[in-house]
Amino acid sequence: MIQSMTGYGKATAELPEKKINVEIKSLNSKAMDLSARIAQQYREMEMEIRSEIAKRLERGKVDFSLWVEKKESAESATPINQALVEGYYKQIKDIADNLSIPVPTDWFQTLLRMPDVLTKTETQELTEEEWTTVHAAVLEAIGHLVDFRKQEGAALEKKFREKIANISHLLESITPYEKERVEKALEKTLSVDYDKNRLEQELIYYIEKLDVNEEKQRLGNHLKYFISTMESGSGQGKKLGFIAQEMGREINTLGSKSNHAEMQKIVVQMKDELEQIKEQVLNVM
């Protein structure tokens, strides 16, 4: 089954003091184009995260985000350094006494603004247990994106089968006009004076000029090859694009050799169906 390069996945991990959010989305691209935004405390694992993404997604313009939401609680409040507060209080009071100036009217506001009174929590080292939890969330988000890609791929496959079938039916509908076109061309050739010695050459020239059997056969083979390639598994986007180009060449040759109003209409319909295939095949991984 083919996969689309368009996808989205999200997962979360709950830790005692925080919630880890992982989000990943992708669009079509010729190669892997990965942009990662990772919370500071998990930056050391960025290479491993990138490796997991590249291994599972192969191609696409991928945006990955990992951010942290801290849980609010009494324990998570920024601690006040009581010893420093006492030290600042004594120093300010002594200075006021020595210089005969008034002490602050709002001691708390003054003391809490002093350096390092509100102690910052030190950055904790990433433990193996915590990384195991976060890593699982990363893999879960990637898995959701892959599932999304498969669903989109199934929809694309259905569309491609429909378009290939339409082109195949249109190709078959050319046959009656093909015979009629050759007969009219020969009648026109034989209705005027001609050199009998050149008759065979003229007949061969017109038959070769009007014959589209090779183009029909090659186009039919390309249609079958497109379906078999699509059924061979994921990672066939580029190959399907090449096959679609070859289909276009044969359809264009049919159009240039048709010389018949109804056949030209059919060729235009084929081109319309093929353009829709080419547009969507860009999304196939």
Side-chain angles (χ1 to χ4, degrees):
M1 176 189 290
I2 60 174
Q3 290 186 29
S4 168
M5 277 189 281
T6 302
Y8 176 81
K10 187 174 183 179
T12 60
E14 295 286 347
L15 293 169
E17 297 179 356
K18 53 192 173 184
K19 178 182 177 183
I20 311 301
N21 297 279
V22 181
E23 185 179 72
I24 182 169
K25 52 188 176 182
S26 68
L27 297 172
N28 62 308
S29 177
K30 291 182 179 180
M32 170 58 73
D33 181 7
L34 174 58
S35 173
R37 292 180 296 278
I38 302 172
Q40 182 64 41
Q41 55 266 52
Y42 303 111
R43 288 278 178 83
E44 62 185 277
M45 307 308 296
E46 181 172 347
M47 294 307 297
E48 184 172 341
I49 292 172
R50 285 178 171 271
S51 176
E52 292 286 2
I53 293 171
K55 184 169 57 179
R56 295 289 304 279
L57 303 188
E58 296 181 29
R59 289 175 63 199
K61 181 175 175 56
V62 180
D63 286 320
F64 176 87
S65 298
L66 189 158
W67 71 97
V68 178
E69 291 180 41
K70 289 191 176 181
K71 298 178 181 178
E72 297 298 332
S73 66
E75 290 77 10
S76 63
T78 302
I80 299 173
N81 191 323
Q82 188 172 341
L84 268 181
V85 171
E86 291 177 0
Y88 284 131
Y89 173 78
K90 290 178 180 178
Q91 290 182 58
I92 293 172
K93 196 171 182 305
D94 289 344
I95 292 171
D97 291 341
N98 293 335
L99 299 178
S100 299
I101 58 176
V103 295
T105 56
D106 189 339
W107 275 106
F108 273 110
Q109 287 295 329
T110 301
L111 293 172
L112 291 178
R113 290 194 185 102
M114 300 305 289
D116 299 327
V117 166
L118 296 176
T119 308
K120 295 181 180 179
T121 304
E122 295 182 0
T123 303
Q124 295 181 349
E125 186 178 343
L126 179 61
T127 64
E128 184 176 346
E129 183 180 0
E130 180 176 343
W131 171 240
T132 298
T133 302
V134 175
H135 185 243
V138 171
L139 294 182
E140 183 183 349
I142 296 173
H144 289 323
L145 185 143
V146 171
D147 290 340
F148 193 112
R149 280 182 160 192
K150 288 179 179 178
Q151 292 173 10
E152 290 289 305
L156 284 174
E157 182 173 337
K158 182 179 179 182
K159 192 74 172 179
F160 288 147
R161 288 184 182 277
E162 176 187 322
K163 297 302 174 184
I164 293 295
N166 290 345
I167 295 174
S168 182
H169 293 322
L170 288 167
L171 184 59
E172 291 175 5
S173 70
I174 284 177
T175 303
Y177 303 113
E178 187 181 359
K179 183 178 179 182
E180 175 186 325
R181 179 181 54 121
V182 173
E183 289 175 351
K184 285 185 178 181
L186 291 177
E187 285 176 8
K188 183 178 179 181
T189 302
L190 297 173
S191 65
V192 296
D193 292 335
Y194 58 87
D195 183 349
K196 291 183 180 181
N197 293 330
R198 297 188 59 191
L199 175 61
E200 184 177 349
Q201 292 180 354
E202 292 291 332
L203 291 176
I204 292 173
Y205 169 77
Y206 274 104
I207 290 174
E208 288 181 348
K209 183 178 179 181
L210 299 173
D211 182 44
V212 293
N213 282 321
E214 286 189 16
E215 287 76 15
K216 286 171 62 180
Q217 183 177 6
R218 285 197 293 265
L219 179 55
N221 290 338
H222 292 328
L223 295 173
K224 294 175 184 176
Y225 190 35
F226 189 97
I227 294 296
S228 64
T229 300
M230 188 170 60
E231 291 174 342
S232 65
S234 63
Q236 300 294 331
K238 291 181 180 179
K239 193 172 184 179
L240 292 174
F242 294 145
I243 299 170
Q245 288 180 9
E246 293 302 315
M247 289 160 56
R249 288 192 180 92
E250 301 305 330
I251 292 174
N252 287 335
T253 305
L254 278 172
S256 64
K257 295 177 74 172
S258 61
N259 196 27
H260 188 285
E262 292 302 320
M263 284 181 66
Q264 288 174 344
K265 288 180 182 178
I266 293 171
V267 167
V268 170
Q269 289 177 285
M270 284 184 181
K271 287 183 177 181
D272 182 55
E273 297 290 339
L274 181 60
E275 281 305 309
Q276 294 180 57
I277 290 175
K278 286 182 175 180
E279 182 180 340
Q280 293 300 323
V281 84
L282 294 174
N283 291 321
V284 178
M285 188 177 78

